Amino acid sequence: MNFLNVFEERVSGIFGTASAPMPFSFKKMAKRAAHEMENETYVINGVDTAPALYTILVSQEDDTLMRPVYAELTQETAQFLEAQAQRRGYSFIGQPLVRFMVDPSLKSGRFSAFAENVDARTLERLRDEEERFMASRRAGGLGGAVAMAPAPVPVTRRAPEPPVAPVPAPARHAAAVPPAPAQHAAAVPPAPAVPAVPAVPSVPDLPPLTSDAGLDAIPPVIDPPYGAGTDGSYGAGAGLTPPSPYLDETPSYPAEPIPAPATPSVPSAMLIDRQSGRTYPIRSSRAILGRERTSGGIVLRDPNVSRRHAEIDFDGVHWLVTDLNSTNGTLVNDVDVDECTLHDGDVITLGLTNLEFREA
């Protein structure tokens, strides 16, 4: 009997009933899972023991398509793996558990699979956790393996400055910018008073001038230097645009540059696995720790770690770790915590994994 063909037909029937397209080849997915089973099968107490925990990673788009049929898909995949193991003479420590999880880095139509060996107690705990997870998603109308979107980066804002009363625009050629003669009369000190002159008898009309002779005797009218300074003086050094001698216009003042608001920066931090020495950089102000892949999160391949086990976030002043109702809880320096402020060198324990917190 060709187990792959039977599996493919049953999965096609599941999607046909749900009137949904298959996002990728489930025959290839089953072959990949069977290959992982071969790689992770070991002799335990003289028995070829196959891994009982299988995780299938899918894209966010394909997860949306498969949400209504996850229960049937996990059951059919588990039955296929049991049949493969039986044919090869392998044993399980319990009924295989298949879980679908979202990997934000995968594109639609792509998937990944891996198998793990866990003890019977851990396997049943994970099965209960998976059932509760699926039930909560169905109750929330989401279903399936949902990757949580990252929270917005918290921003530390400065206290608002008191409003500044608007300054009314000066009247055209007011005392701040005294007008010159005809246009800026106030800029030149007034002439001293001249005593009254007796009236001059009328003079008969003179013939028109035939040359420019005599015009040189008339003193020219000289405008004061352009630009008014803050002390009431005029000059190019005042930095103002010279007013036109022909137009009644207000001098323009150079605009001062407005500084752009400072963008708050998030300090960098990292987690160091005490057992393996592997470093996990924290690249944003919020990171989810767990077995499920999330944007900006940290994936831990520890069967004792929950899908979404804990969260590390920066509140603008301190880094904090918060337990996300995990099955085994979260410890900081061997103390069970729900939420705790982190300091450089603290050790966070999730399942069997010890992570040392370092703030750069």
Side-chain angles (χ1 to χ4, degrees):
M1 178 184 297
N2 192 325
F3 294 107
L4 280 173
N5 291 337
V6 173
F7 173 75
E8 187 178 34
E9 289 177 4
R10 295 178 69 89
V11 170
S12 298
I14 292 173
F15 279 95
T17 303
S19 300
M22 285 198 301
F24 48 76
S25 171
F26 281 84
K27 186 175 182 178
K28 292 183 179 179
M29 184 207 74
K31 290 177 66 175
R32 183 76 58 82
H35 180 71
E36 289 293 316
M37 180 175 65
E38 290 287 335
N39 292 339
E40 298 297 325
T41 296
Y42 299 99
V43 178
I44 301 176
N45 297 327
V47 178
D48 290 334
T49 306
L53 179 61
Y54 296 83
T55 303
I56 313 298
L57 303 178
V58 298
S59 68
Q60 183 70 65
E61 294 82 357
D62 295 343
D63 168 72
T64 303
L65 294 175
M66 293 187 291
R67 286 177 189 176
V69 294
Y70 266 132
E72 294 85 350
L73 288 177
T74 54
Q75 182 180 0
E76 289 294 337
T77 307
Q79 290 179 357
F80 165 78
L81 293 170
E82 281 185 298
Q84 285 289 100
Q86 185 178 6
R87 186 177 68 172
R88 295 179 178 275
Y90 299 158
S91 298
F92 293 105
I93 60 172
Q95 183 181 5
L97 172 61
V98 178
R99 308 184 301 175
F100 286 86
M101 292 187 181
V102 173
D103 185 349
S105 66
L106 290 176
K107 296 181 180 180
S108 180
R110 306 299 296 270
F111 64 87
S112 182
F114 58 90
E116 297 171 89
N117 287 280
V118 295
D119 58 79
R121 182 177 178 180
T122 300
L123 180 64
E124 292 309 311
R125 179 184 59 79
L126 292 174
R127 194 186 309 278
D128 293 341
E129 183 181 280
E130 188 70 12
E131 291 176 356
R132 290 195 304 270
F133 176 81
M134 298 292 287
S136 66
R137 293 299 185 229
R138 287 193 295 268
L142 297 176
V146 178
M148 303 300 292
V153 176
V155 177
T156 303
R157 293 184 173 85
R158 297 180 298 176
E161 298 181 356
V164 180
V167 179
R172 302 173 73 86
H173 304 293
V177 184
Q183 289 85 21
H184 306 283
V188 180
V194 179
V197 179
V200 179
S202 60
V203 179
D205 293 337
L206 299 176
L209 296 175
T210 58
S211 67
D212 292 338
L215 293 180
D216 295 337
I218 303 175
V221 177
I222 302 175
D223 284 342
Y226 64 86
T230 55
D231 57 353
S233 63
Y234 282 82
L240 303 181
T241 303
S244 169
Y246 305 104
L247 299 177
D248 184 20
E249 57 182 75
T250 303
S252 59
Y253 294 84
E256 297 183 359
I258 301 175
T263 303
S265 60
V266 177
S268 58
M270 67 176 65
L271 298 175
I272 305 173
D273 191 322
R274 282 284 190 89
Q275 285 81 8
S276 65
R278 181 177 179 181
T279 300
Y280 300 96
I282 302 176
R283 305 183 185 279
S284 64
S285 63
R286 178 176 181 265
I288 300 295
L289 311 181
R291 292 174 59 83
E292 186 173 65
R293 283 167 167 76
T294 57
S295 297
I298 296 174
V299 181
L300 302 174
R301 294 285 295 274
D302 181 349
N304 296 283
V305 173
S306 300
R307 275 176 174 263
R308 300 175 69 251
H309 196 109
E311 172 186 271
I312 288 183
D313 66 276
F314 183 70
D315 65 359
V317 180
H318 303 289
W319 287 95
L320 300 95
V321 61
T322 304
D323 183 74
L324 300 178
N325 297 320
S326 63
T327 302
N328 289 330
T330 300
L331 287 76
V332 175
N333 300 328
D334 295 328
V335 177
D336 194 1
V337 299
D338 292 329
E339 183 178 282
C340 178
T341 300
L342 294 173
H343 302 89
D344 199 54
D346 284 347
V347 177
I348 307 169
T349 302
L350 295 81
L352 301 178
T353 305
N354 295 314
L355 302 171
E356 182 176 342
F357 173 79
R358 289 291 182 184
E359 184 173 4

